[in-house]
Amino acid sequence: MTLTRTTRRLVTLNAAAVVDGLGELLPAGVHEVETDEELLQGLSFTAYRRVRSYIRLAGEAGESRVLVMNPAALDAALDRDLAMTAAPGGEGRFRPHGLIGPE
């Protein structure tokens, strides 16, 4: 039996972003992301492997849609977005990332 958990967080894109394997641009803005993780069994400590992420995109007239993607590809897109908006010679701008609700 595979044990899984889902974490939720908000991510901010400062500009439209490309996510490898997705085939479309993610719009700039704050988006809710859910990530499914599977428990790695047989270890002497608790560890999880991220298997997929879902991002909710707001649409017209209150409609929304959900896209499925590789969690590492989403992280890479967020890193590129942060690097593009970093202040010259600085460490980059603060971008809020946080978990939603209890872990």
Side-chain angles (χ1 to χ4, degrees):
M1 178 171 99
T2 303
L3 299 175
T4 61
R5 70 178 183 183
T6 301
T7 57
R8 295 186 309 165
R9 63 184 174 144
L10 295 176
V11 299
T12 301
L13 288 170
N14 295 299
V18 174
V19 176
D20 293 338
L22 192 57
E24 67 178 275
L25 283 175
L26 295 180
V30 178
H31 305 288
E32 182 178 346
V33 173
E34 293 185 7
T35 301
D36 290 341
E37 302 172 321
E38 292 179 346
L39 179 66
L40 297 175
Q41 298 185 11
L43 301 175
S44 60
F45 54 91
T46 302
Y48 288 85
R49 176 178 66 95
R50 299 179 306 155
V51 275
R52 72 192 60 82
S53 287
Y54 306 88
I55 190 165
R56 183 176 309 280
L57 303 176
E60 299 294 321
E63 296 176 6
S64 65
R65 60 193 179 108
V66 176
L67 302 176
V68 181
M69 66 195 70
N70 179 308
L74 176 59
D75 287 347
L78 291 170
D79 289 344
R80 285 190 303 271
D81 178 69
L82 186 59
M84 288 177 26
T85 57
E91 295 297 314
R93 296 187 339 189
F94 171 75
R95 176 180 55 204
H97 282 111
L99 294 175
I100 303 170
E103 289 188 80

Coordinates of all heavy atoms in Angstrom, one line a residue:
M1 N 0.8 -1.2 0.0 CA 0.0 0.0 0.0 C 0.9 1.2 0.0 O 1.8 1.4 0.8 CB -0.9 0.0 1.2 CG -1.8 1.2 1.3 SD -3.0 1.1 2.7 CE -2.2 2.0 3.9
T2 N 0.6 2.2 -0.9 CA 1.4 3.4 -1.0 C 0.7 4.5 -0.2 O -0.5 4.8 -0.3 CB 1.5 3.9 -2.4 OG1 2.1 2.8 -3.2 CG2 2.3 5.1 -2.5
L3 N 1.4 5.1 0.8 CA 0.9 6.2 1.6 C 1.2 7.5 0.9 O 2.3 7.7 0.4 CB 1.5 6.2 3.0 CG 1.2 4.9 3.8 CD1 2.0 4.9 5.1 CD2 -0.3 4.7 4.0
T4 N 0.2 8.4 0.8 CA 0.4 9.6 0.1 C -0.1 10.8 1.0 O -0.8 10.6 1.9 CB -0.4 9.7 -1.3 OG1 -1.8 9.6 -1.0 CG2 0.1 8.6 -2.2
R5 N 0.4 12.0 0.6 CA -0.1 13.2 1.3 C -0.1 14.3 0.2 O 0.5 14.2 -0.8 CB 0.8 13.6 2.4 CG 2.2 14.1 2.1 CD 2.9 14.5 3.3 NE 4.2 15.1 2.9 CZ 5.1 15.5 3.7 NH1 4.9 15.4 5.0 NH2 6.3 16.0 3.3
T6 N -0.9 15.3 0.5 CA -1.0 16.4 -0.4 C -0.7 17.7 0.3 O -1.3 17.9 1.4 CB -2.4 16.5 -1.1 OG1 -2.7 15.3 -1.8 CG2 -2.5 17.7 -2.0
T7 N 0.2 18.5 -0.2 CA 0.5 19.8 0.4 C 0.0 20.9 -0.5 O -0.1 20.7 -1.7 CB 2.0 20.0 0.6 OG1 2.7 19.9 -0.6 CG2 2.6 19.0 1.6
R8 N -0.5 22.0 0.1 CA -1.0 23.1 -0.7 C -0.2 24.4 -0.3 O 0.2 24.6 0.8 CB -2.5 23.4 -0.4 CG -3.3 22.2 -0.8 CD -4.8 22.5 -0.6 NE -5.1 23.0 0.7 CZ -6.2 23.6 1.1 NH1 -7.2 23.8 0.2 NH2 -6.4 24.0 2.3
R9 N 0.1 25.2 -1.4 CA 0.8 26.5 -1.1 C 0.4 27.5 -2.2 O -0.2 27.1 -3.2 CB 2.3 26.2 -1.2 CG 2.8 25.8 -2.6 CD 4.3 25.4 -2.6 NE 4.6 24.9 -3.8 CZ 5.8 25.1 -4.4 NH1 6.7 25.9 -3.9 NH2 6.1 24.5 -5.6
L10 N 0.7 28.7 -1.9 CA 0.5 29.8 -2.9 C 1.8 30.1 -3.5 O 2.8 30.2 -2.8 CB -0.1 31.0 -2.2 CG -1.5 30.9 -1.6 CD1 -1.9 32.2 -0.9 CD2 -2.5 30.5 -2.7
V11 N 1.8 30.3 -4.8 CA 3.1 30.7 -5.5 C 2.7 32.0 -6.3 O 1.6 32.2 -6.7 CB 3.6 29.7 -6.4 CG1 4.0 28.4 -5.7 CG2 2.7 29.3 -7.5
T12 N 3.7 32.8 -6.4 CA 3.6 34.1 -7.2 C 4.5 34.1 -8.4 O 5.7 33.8 -8.3 CB 3.9 35.3 -6.3 OG1 3.1 35.3 -5.2 CG2 3.8 36.6 -7.1
L13 N 3.9 34.3 -9.6 CA 4.7 34.5 -10.8 C 4.7 36.0 -11.1 O 3.6 36.6 -11.2 CB 4.1 33.7 -11.9 CG 4.3 32.2 -11.9 CD1 3.4 31.5 -12.9 CD2 5.7 31.8 -12.1
N14 N 5.8 36.6 -11.2 CA 5.9 38.0 -11.5 C 5.7 38.3 -13.0 O 5.3 39.4 -13.4 CB 7.3 38.6 -11.1 CG 7.4 38.5 -9.6 OD1 6.6 39.1 -8.9 ND2 8.3 37.7 -9.1
A15 N 5.9 37.3 -13.9 CA 5.6 37.4 -15.3 C 5.1 36.0 -15.8 O 5.3 35.0 -15.1 CB 7.0 37.7 -16.0
A16 N 4.5 36.0 -17.0 CA 4.1 34.7 -17.5 C 5.3 33.8 -17.6 O 6.4 34.2 -17.9 CB 3.5 35.0 -18.9
A17 N 5.0 32.5 -17.4 CA 6.1 31.6 -17.3 C 5.9 30.3 -18.1 O 4.7 29.9 -18.2 CB 6.4 31.2 -15.8
V18 N 6.9 29.7 -18.6 CA 6.9 28.5 -19.3 C 7.2 27.4 -18.4 O 8.2 27.5 -17.7 CB 7.9 28.4 -20.5 CG1 7.9 27.1 -21.2 CG2 7.5 29.5 -21.6
V19 N 6.4 26.3 -18.3 CA 6.7 25.1 -17.5 C 7.0 24.0 -18.5 O 6.2 23.7 -19.3 CB 5.6 24.7 -16.6 CG1 5.9 23.5 -15.8 CG2 5.3 25.9 -15.6
D20 N 8.2 23.4 -18.4 CA 8.6 22.3 -19.3 C 7.6 21.2 -19.2 O 7.1 20.8 -18.2 CB 10.0 21.7 -18.9 CG 11.1 22.7 -19.1 OD1 10.9 23.7 -19.9 OD2 12.1 22.6 -18.4
G21 N 7.1 20.7 -20.4 CA 6.2 19.6 -20.5 C 4.7 20.1 -20.4 O 3.8 19.2 -20.6
L22 N 4.5 21.4 -20.2 CA 3.1 21.8 -20.1 C 2.4 22.2 -21.4 O 1.3 22.0 -21.6 CB 3.0 22.9 -19.0 CG 1.6 23.3 -18.6 CD1 0.9 22.1 -18.0 CD2 1.7 24.4 -17.5
G23 N 3.2 22.9 -22.2 CA 2.7 23.3 -23.5 C 1.9 24.6 -23.6 O 1.3 24.9 -24.6
E24 N 1.9 25.3 -22.5 CA 1.3 26.6 -22.5 C 1.9 27.5 -21.4 O 2.6 27.0 -20.5 CB -0.3 26.5 -22.3 CG -0.7 26.1 -20.9 CD -2.2 26.0 -20.8 OE1 -2.8 27.1 -20.4 OE2 -2.8 25.0 -21.0
L25 N 1.7 28.8 -21.6 CA 2.2 29.8 -20.6 C 1.3 29.8 -19.4 O 0.1 29.8 -19.5 CB 2.3 31.2 -21.2 CG 3.4 31.5 -22.2 CD1 3.2 32.9 -22.7 CD2 4.7 31.4 -21.5
L26 N 2.0 29.9 -18.2 CA 1.2 30.2 -17.0 C 1.2 31.7 -16.8 O 2.2 32.4 -16.9 CB 1.9 29.6 -15.7 CG 2.0 28.1 -15.7 CD1 2.7 27.6 -14.4 CD2 0.6 27.5 -15.7
P27 N 0.0 32.3 -16.5 CA -0.1 33.7 -16.4 C 0.6 34.2 -15.1 O 0.7 33.5 -14.1 CB -1.6 34.0 -16.4 CG -2.2 32.7 -15.9 CD -1.3 31.6 -16.4
A28 N 1.0 35.5 -15.1 CA 1.5 36.1 -13.9 C 0.4 36.2 -12.9 O -0.8 36.2 -13.2 CB 2.0 37.5 -14.3
G29 N 0.8 36.2 -11.6 CA -0.2 36.3 -10.6 C 0.1 35.3 -9.5 O 1.1 34.6 -9.5
V30 N -0.8 35.3 -8.5 CA -0.7 34.4 -7.4 C -1.6 33.2 -7.7 O -2.8 33.3 -8.1 CB -1.2 35.1 -6.1 CG1 -1.2 34.1 -4.9 CG2 -0.3 36.3 -5.8
H31 N -1.1 32.0 -7.6 CA -1.8 30.8 -7.9 C -1.7 29.7 -6.8 O -0.7 29.7 -6.1 CB -1.2 30.1 -9.2 CG -1.1 31.1 -10.3 ND1 -2.2 31.5 -11.0 CD2 -0.1 31.7 -10.9 CE1 -1.9 32.3 -12.0 NE2 -0.6 32.4 -12.0
E32 N -2.7 29.0 -6.6 CA -2.7 27.9 -5.6 C -2.2 26.6 -6.3 O -2.6 26.3 -7.4 CB -4.2 27.6 -5.1 CG -4.2 26.5 -4.1 CD -5.6 26.3 -3.6 OE1 -6.5 27.1 -3.8 OE2 -5.8 25.3 -2.9
V33 N -1.2 26.0 -5.6 CA -0.6 24.8 -6.1 C -0.8 23.7 -5.0 O -0.6 23.9 -3.8 CB 0.9 25.0 -6.3 CG1 1.6 23.7 -6.7 CG2 1.1 26.0 -7.4
E34 N -1.2 22.5 -5.5 CA -1.3 21.3 -4.7 C -0.2 20.3 -5.2 O -0.1 20.1 -6.4 CB -2.7 20.7 -4.7 CG -3.7 21.5 -4.1 CD -5.1 20.8 -4.0 OE1 -5.2 19.6 -4.3 OE2 -6.0 21.5 -3.6
T35 N 0.5 19.7 -4.3 CA 1.5 18.7 -4.7 C 1.2 17.4 -4.0 O 1.1 17.3 -2.8 CB 2.9 19.2 -4.4 OG1 3.1 20.4 -5.1 CG2 4.0 18.2 -4.9
D36 N 1.1 16.3 -4.8 CA 1.0 15.0 -4.2 C 2.3 14.4 -4.0 O 3.2 14.5 -4.8 CB 0.2 14.0 -5.2 CG -1.3 14.4 -5.3 OD1 -1.8 15.1 -4.4 OD2 -1.9 14.0 -6.3
E37 N 2.5 13.7 -2.8 CA 3.8 13.1 -2.5 C 3.5 11.7 -2.0 O 2.5 11.4 -1.4 CB 4.4 13.9 -1.3 CG 4.7 15.4 -1.7 CD 5.2 16.2 -0.5 OE1 4.6 16.0 0.6 OE2 6.0 17.0 -0.7
E38 N 4.4 10.8 -2.3 CA 4.4 9.4 -1.9 C 5.4 9.1 -0.8 O 6.6 9.6 -1.0 CB 4.6 8.5 -3.0 CG 3.5 8.5 -4.1 CD 3.8 7.5 -5.2 OE1 4.9 7.0 -5.4 OE2 2.8 7.3 -6.0
L39 N 5.1 8.4 0.2 CA 6.0 8.0 1.2 C 7.0 7.0 0.7 O 6.7 6.1 0.0 CB 5.3 7.3 2.4 CG 6.1 6.8 3.6 CD1 6.8 8.0 4.3 CD2 5.3 6.0 4.5
L40 N 8.3 7.3 0.9 CA 9.4 6.4 0.5 C 9.5 5.4 1.6 O 9.8 5.7 2.8 CB 10.7 7.1 0.3 CG 10.7 8.2 -0.8 CD1 12.0 8.9 -0.8 CD2 10.5 7.5 -2.1
Q41 N 9.2 4.1 1.3 CA 9.2 3.1 2.3 C 10.6 2.4 2.3 O 11.4 2.4 1.4 CB 8.1 2.1 2.0 CG 6.8 2.8 2.1 CD 5.6 1.8 1.9 OE1 5.8 0.6 1.9 NE2 4.4 2.3 1.7
G42 N 10.9 1.8 3.5 CA 12.1 1.0 3.6 C 13.3 1.8 4.1 O 14.4 1.3 4.2
L43 N 13.0 3.1 4.5 CA 14.1 4.0 5.0 C 14.0 4.0 6.6 O 13.0 3.7 7.1 CB 14.0 5.4 4.5 CG 14.0 5.5 2.9 CD1 13.8 7.0 2.6 CD2 15.4 5.1 2.4
S44 N 15.1 4.4 7.2 CA 15.1 4.5 8.7 C 14.5 5.8 9.1 O 14.5 6.1 10.3 CB 16.5 4.3 9.2 OG 17.4 5.3 8.7
F45 N 14.1 6.7 8.2 CA 13.5 8.0 8.5 C 12.4 8.2 7.5 O 12.2 7.6 6.5 CB 14.6 9.1 8.4 CG 15.3 9.1 7.1 CD1 14.8 9.9 6.0 CD2 16.4 8.4 6.8 CE1 15.4 9.9 4.8 CE2 17.1 8.4 5.6 CZ 16.6 9.2 4.6
T46 N 11.5 9.2 7.9 CA 10.4 9.5 7.0 C 10.8 10.5 5.9 O 11.4 11.5 6.2 CB 9.3 10.2 7.9 OG1 8.9 9.3 8.9 CG2 8.0 10.5 7.0
A47 N 10.5 10.1 4.7 CA 10.8 10.9 3.5 C 9.7 10.7 2.5 O 9.1 9.6 2.4 CB 12.1 10.6 2.9
Y48 N 9.4 11.8 1.7 CA 8.4 11.7 0.7 C 9.0 12.1 -0.6 O 9.9 12.9 -0.7 CB 7.2 12.7 1.0 CG 6.4 12.2 2.1 CD1 6.7 12.5 3.4 CD2 5.2 11.5 1.9 CE1 5.9 12.0 4.5 CE2 4.4 11.1 2.9 CZ 4.7 11.3 4.2 OH 3.9 10.9 5.2
R49 N 8.4 11.6 -1.7 CA 8.8 11.9 -3.1 C 7.7 12.6 -3.7 O 6.5 12.1 -3.7 CB 9.2 10.6 -3.9 CG 9.5 10.9 -5.3 CD 9.9 9.6 -6.0 NE 8.7 8.7 -6.1 CZ 7.9 8.6 -7.2 NH1 8.1 9.3 -8.2 NH2 6.9 7.7 -7.2
R50 N 7.9 13.8 -4.3 CA 6.9 14.5 -5.0 C 6.6 13.9 -6.3 O 7.5 13.6 -7.1 CB 7.3 16.0 -5.2 CG 7.6 16.7 -3.9 CD 8.0 18.1 -4.1 NE 9.2 18.2 -5.0 CZ 9.5 19.3 -5.7 NH1 8.8 20.4 -5.6 NH2 10.5 19.3 -6.5
V51 N 5.3 13.6 -6.6 CA 5.0 12.9 -7.8 C 4.3 13.8 -8.9 O 4.5 13.6 -10.1 CB 4.1 11.6 -7.6 CG1 4.9 10.4 -7.3 CG2 3.1 11.8 -6.5
R52 N 3.4 14.7 -8.4 CA 2.8 15.6 -9.4 C 2.3 16.8 -8.7 O 2.0 16.8 -7.5 CB 1.6 14.9 -10.1 CG 0.4 14.6 -9.3 CD -0.6 13.7 -10.0 NE -0.1 12.4 -10.3 CZ 0.0 11.4 -9.4 NH1 -0.4 11.6 -8.2 NH2 0.5 10.2 -9.8
S53 N 2.2 17.9 -9.4 CA 1.6 19.2 -8.9 C 0.5 19.6 -9.8 O 0.4 19.3 -11.0 CB 2.7 20.3 -8.9 OG 3.7 20.1 -7.9
Y54 N -0.5 20.2 -9.1 CA -1.7 20.8 -9.8 C -1.7 22.3 -9.5 O -1.5 22.7 -8.4 CB -3.0 20.2 -9.2 CG -3.0 18.7 -9.2 CD1 -2.5 18.0 -8.1 CD2 -3.6 18.0 -10.2 CE1 -2.6 16.6 -8.1 CE2 -3.7 16.6 -10.2 CZ -3.1 15.9 -9.1 OH -3.2 14.5 -9.1
I55 N -1.9 23.1 -10.5 CA -2.0 24.5 -10.4 C -3.3 25.0 -10.8 O -3.8 24.6 -11.8 CB -0.8 25.3 -11.1 CG1 -0.8 26.7 -10.7 CG2 -0.9 25.1 -12.6 CD1 0.5 27.5 -11.1
R56 N -4.0 25.8 -10.0 CA -5.3 26.3 -10.3 C -5.2 27.7 -10.9 O -4.6 28.6 -10.3 CB -6.2 26.4 -9.0 CG -7.6 26.8 -9.2 CD -8.4 26.8 -8.0 NE -8.3 25.5 -7.3 CZ -9.0 24.4 -7.6 NH1 -9.8 24.4 -8.6 NH2 -8.9 23.3 -6.9
L57 N -5.7 27.8 -12.1 CA -5.6 29.1 -12.8 C -7.0 29.7 -12.8 O -8.0 29.1 -13.3 CB -5.1 28.9 -14.2 CG -3.8 28.3 -14.4 CD1 -3.4 28.0 -15.8 CD2 -2.7 29.1 -13.7
A58 N -7.1 31.0 -12.4 CA -8.4 31.7 -12.4 C -8.7 32.1 -13.9 O -7.8 32.5 -14.6 CB -8.4 32.9 -11.5
G59 N -10.0 32.0 -14.2 CA -10.4 32.3 -15.6 C -11.4 33.4 -15.5 O -11.6 34.1 -14.6
E60 N -12.1 33.6 -16.6 CA -13.1 34.6 -16.8 C -14.4 34.2 -16.0 O -14.7 33.1 -15.8 CB -13.5 34.8 -18.3 CG -12.4 35.2 -19.2 CD -11.9 36.6 -18.9 OE1 -12.7 37.5 -18.6 OE2 -10.7 36.8 -18.9
A61 N -15.0 35.3 -15.5 CA -16.3 35.1 -14.8 C -16.3 34.1 -13.6 O -17.2 33.3 -13.4 CB -17.4 34.7 -15.8
G62 N -15.1 34.1 -12.9 CA -15.0 33.2 -11.7 C -14.7 31.8 -12.0 O -14.7 31.0 -11.1
E63 N -14.6 31.4 -13.3 CA -14.3 30.0 -13.6 C -12.8 29.8 -13.4 O -12.0 30.7 -13.4 CB -14.6 29.8 -15.1 CG -16.0 29.9 -15.4 CD -16.3 29.7 -16.9 OE1 -15.3 29.4 -17.7 OE2 -17.4 29.9 -17.3
S64 N -12.4 28.6 -13.1 CA -11.0 28.2 -12.9 C -10.8 26.9 -13.6 O -11.7 26.1 -13.9 CB -10.6 28.2 -11.5 OG -11.3 27.2 -10.8
R65 N -9.5 26.6 -13.9 CA -9.1 25.3 -14.4 C -7.9 24.8 -13.7 O -7.1 25.6 -13.1 CB -9.0 25.3 -15.9 CG -7.9 26.3 -16.4 CD -8.0 26.5 -17.9 NE -7.0 27.4 -18.4 CZ -5.9 27.0 -19.1 NH1 -5.8 25.8 -19.4 NH2 -5.1 27.9 -19.4
V66 N -7.6 23.5 -13.7 CA -6.5 23.0 -13.0 C -5.6 22.3 -14.1 O -6.1 21.5 -14.9 CB -7.0 21.9 -12.0 CG1 -5.8 21.3 -11.3 CG2 -7.8 22.6 -10.9
L67 N -4.3 22.6 -14.0 CA -3.3 21.9 -14.9 C -2.4 21.0 -14.0 O -2.1 21.4 -12.9 CB -2.5 23.0 -15.6 CG -3.2 24.0 -16.4 CD1 -2.2 25.0 -17.0 CD2 -3.9 23.3 -17.6
V68 N -2.0 19.9 -14.6 CA -1.2 18.9 -13.9 C 0.2 19.0 -14.5 O 0.4 19.1 -15.7 CB -1.7 17.5 -14.1 CG1 -0.8 16.5 -13.4 CG2 -3.1 17.4 -13.6
M69 N 1.2 19.0 -13.6 CA 2.6 19.1 -14.1 C 3.6 18.4 -13.2 O 3.2 18.1 -12.0 CB 3.0 20.6 -14.2 CG 3.1 21.4 -12.9 SD 3.1 23.1 -13.2 CE 1.4 23.4 -13.7
N70 N 4.8 18.3 -13.6 CA 5.9 17.8 -12.8 C 6.3 18.8 -11.8 O 6.6 19.9 -12.2 CB 7.1 17.4 -13.8 CG 8.3 16.9 -13.1 OD1 8.7 17.4 -12.1 ND2 8.7 15.7 -13.6
P71 N 6.4 18.4 -10.5 CA 6.8 19.4 -9.5 C 8.2 20.0 -9.7 O 8.3 21.2 -9.5 CB 6.8 18.5 -8.2 CG 6.0 17.4 -8.5 CD 6.1 17.1 -9.9
A72 N 9.1 19.3 -10.2 CA 10.5 19.8 -10.5 C 10.4 20.9 -11.6 O 11.1 21.9 -11.6 CB 11.4 18.7 -10.8
A73 N 9.5 20.6 -12.6 CA 9.4 21.6 -13.7 C 8.8 22.9 -13.2 O 9.2 24.0 -13.6 CB 8.6 21.0 -14.9
L74 N 7.8 22.8 -12.3 CA 7.2 24.0 -11.7 C 8.2 24.8 -10.9 O 8.3 26.0 -11.0 CB 6.0 23.6 -10.9 CG 5.4 24.8 -10.1 CD1 4.9 25.9 -11.1 CD2 4.2 24.3 -9.2
D75 N 9.0 24.1 -10.1 CA 10.1 24.7 -9.3 C 11.1 25.4 -10.2 O 11.5 26.5 -9.9 CB 10.8 23.7 -8.5 CG 10.0 23.2 -7.3 OD1 9.0 23.8 -7.0 OD2 10.4 22.2 -6.7
A76 N 11.4 24.8 -11.3 CA 12.4 25.4 -12.3 C 11.8 26.7 -12.9 O 12.5 27.7 -13.0 CB 12.8 24.5 -13.4
A77 N 10.5 26.7 -13.2 CA 9.8 27.9 -13.7 C 9.8 29.0 -12.7 O 10.0 30.2 -13.0 CB 8.4 27.5 -14.2
L78 N 9.5 28.6 -11.4 CA 9.5 29.6 -10.3 C 10.9 30.2 -10.1 O 11.0 31.4 -9.9 CB 9.0 29.0 -9.1 CG 7.5 28.6 -9.1 CD1 7.2 27.8 -7.8 CD2 6.6 29.9 -9.1
D79 N 11.9 29.4 -10.2 CA 13.3 29.9 -10.1 C 13.7 30.8 -11.2 O 14.3 31.8 -11.0 CB 14.3 28.7 -10.0 CG 14.2 27.9 -8.7 OD1 13.6 28.4 -7.7 OD2 14.7 26.8 -8.7
R80 N 13.3 30.5 -12.4 CA 13.6 31.4 -13.6 C 12.8 32.7 -13.4 O 13.4 33.8 -13.7 CB 13.1 30.7 -14.9 CG 14.1 29.6 -15.4 CD 13.8 29.2 -16.8 NE 12.4 28.7 -17.0 CZ 12.0 27.5 -16.8 NH1 12.9 26.5 -16.5 NH2 10.7 27.1 -17.0
D81 N 11.6 32.7 -12.9 CA 10.8 33.9 -12.7 C 11.5 34.7 -11.7 O 11.6 36.0 -11.9 CB 9.4 33.5 -12.3 CG 8.6 34.7 -12.0 OD1 8.2 35.4 -13.0 OD2 8.2 35.0 -10.8
L82 N 12.0 34.2 -10.6 CA 12.6 34.9 -9.5 C 13.9 35.5 -10.1 O 14.2 36.7 -9.8 CB 12.9 34.0 -8.3 CG 13.5 34.7 -7.1 CD1 12.5 35.8 -6.6 CD2 13.7 33.7 -6.0
A83 N 14.7 34.7 -10.8 CA 16.0 35.2 -11.4 C 15.7 36.4 -12.3 O 16.5 37.4 -12.3 CB 16.7 34.1 -12.1
M84 N 14.6 36.4 -13.1 CA 14.4 37.5 -14.1 C 13.9 38.7 -13.4 O 14.1 39.8 -13.9 CB 13.3 37.0 -15.0 CG 13.8 36.0 -16.0 SD 12.5 35.4 -17.2 CE 11.3 36.7 -17.3
T85 N 13.4 38.6 -12.2 CA 12.9 39.8 -11.5 C 13.8 40.3 -10.3 O 13.5 41.2 -9.6 CB 11.5 39.5 -10.9 OG1 11.5 38.4 -10.0 CG2 10.5 39.3 -12.0
A86 N 15.0 39.6 -10.2 CA 15.9 40.0 -9.2 C 16.5 41.4 -9.4 O 16.7 41.8 -10.6 CB 17.1 38.9 -9.1
A87 N 16.7 42.1 -8.4 CA 17.3 43.4 -8.5 C 18.8 43.2 -8.9 O 19.5 42.3 -8.5 CB 17.3 44.1 -7.1
P88 N 19.3 44.1 -9.7 CA 20.7 44.0 -10.2 C 21.7 44.0 -9.0 O 21.6 44.9 -8.1 CB 20.9 45.3 -11.0 CG 19.6 45.7 -11.4 CD 18.6 45.3 -10.3
G89 N 22.5 43.0 -8.9 CA 23.4 42.9 -7.8 C 22.8 42.5 -6.5 O 23.5 42.4 -5.5
G90 N 21.5 42.2 -6.4 CA 20.9 41.9 -5.2 C 20.6 40.4 -5.1 O 20.9 39.6 -6.0
E91 N 19.9 40.1 -4.0 CA 19.6 38.7 -3.8 C 18.2 38.3 -4.4 O 17.8 37.1 -4.3 CB 19.5 38.4 -2.3 CG 20.9 38.5 -1.6 CD 21.9 37.6 -2.1 OE1 21.6 36.4 -2.3 OE2 23.0 38.0 -2.4
G92 N 17.6 39.2 -5.0 CA 16.3 38.9 -5.6 C 15.2 39.5 -4.7 O 15.4 39.9 -3.6
R93 N 14.0 39.6 -5.3 CA 12.9 40.2 -4.6 C 12.2 39.1 -3.8 O 12.2 37.9 -4.1 CB 11.9 40.8 -5.5 CG 12.4 42.0 -6.3 CD 11.4 42.7 -7.1 NE 10.2 42.0 -7.4 CZ 9.3 42.4 -8.3 NH1 9.5 43.5 -8.9 NH2 8.2 41.7 -8.5
F94 N 11.6 39.5 -2.7 CA 10.8 38.6 -1.9 C 9.6 38.1 -2.7 O 8.9 38.9 -3.3 CB 10.3 39.2 -0.6 CG 9.4 38.4 0.2 CD1 9.8 37.3 0.9 CD2 8.0 38.7 0.2 CE1 8.9 36.5 1.6 CE2 7.1 37.9 0.9 CZ 7.6 36.8 1.6
R95 N 9.4 36.8 -2.7 CA 8.2 36.2 -3.3 C 7.5 35.3 -2.3 O 8.1 34.4 -1.9 CB 8.6 35.4 -4.6 CG 7.4 34.7 -5.2 CD 7.7 33.9 -6.4 NE 8.8 33.0 -6.1 CZ 9.6 32.5 -7.0 NH1 9.5 32.8 -8.2 NH2 10.5 31.6 -6.6
P96 N 6.3 35.7 -1.9 CA 5.7 34.9 -0.9 C 5.3 33.5 -1.4 O 4.8 33.3 -2.4 CB 4.4 35.6 -0.6 CG 4.1 36.4 -1.8 CD 5.4 36.7 -2.4
H97 N 5.8 32.5 -0.6 CA 5.4 31.1 -0.8 C 5.0 30.6 0.5 O 5.7 30.8 1.5 CB 6.6 30.2 -1.3 CG 6.9 30.4 -2.7 ND1 8.1 31.0 -3.1 CD2 6.3 30.0 -3.8 CE1 8.1 31.0 -4.4 NE2 7.0 30.4 -4.9
G98 N 3.9 30.0 0.6 CA 3.5 29.5 1.9 C 2.5 28.3 1.8 O 1.8 28.2 0.8
L99 N 2.5 27.5 2.8 CA 1.5 26.4 2.9 C 0.2 27.0 3.2 O 0.1 27.9 4.0 CB 2.0 25.4 3.9 CG 3.3 24.6 3.6 CD1 3.6 23.7 4.8 CD2 3.1 23.8 2.3
I100 N -0.8 26.4 2.7 CA -2.2 26.7 3.1 C -2.8 25.7 4.0 O -2.8 24.5 3.7 CB -3.1 26.8 1.8 CG1 -2.5 27.7 0.8 CG2 -4.5 27.2 2.1 CD1 -3.1 27.6 -0.6
G101 N -3.2 26.1 5.2 CA -3.8 25.2 6.1 C -2.7 24.3 6.8 O -1.5 24.5 6.7
P102 N -3.2 23.4 7.6 CA -2.3 22.5 8.4 C -1.5 21.6 7.5 O -2.0 21.2 6.4 CB -3.2 21.8 9.3 CG -4.5 21.8 8.6 CD -4.6 23.0 7.9
E103 N -0.3 21.3 7.9 CA 0.5 20.3 7.2 C 0.1 18.9 7.4 O -0.3 18.6 8.5 CB 2.0 20.5 7.6 CG 2.6 21.8 7.1 CD 4.1 21.8 7.3 OE1 4.8 21.2 6.5 OE2 4.5 22.4 8.3

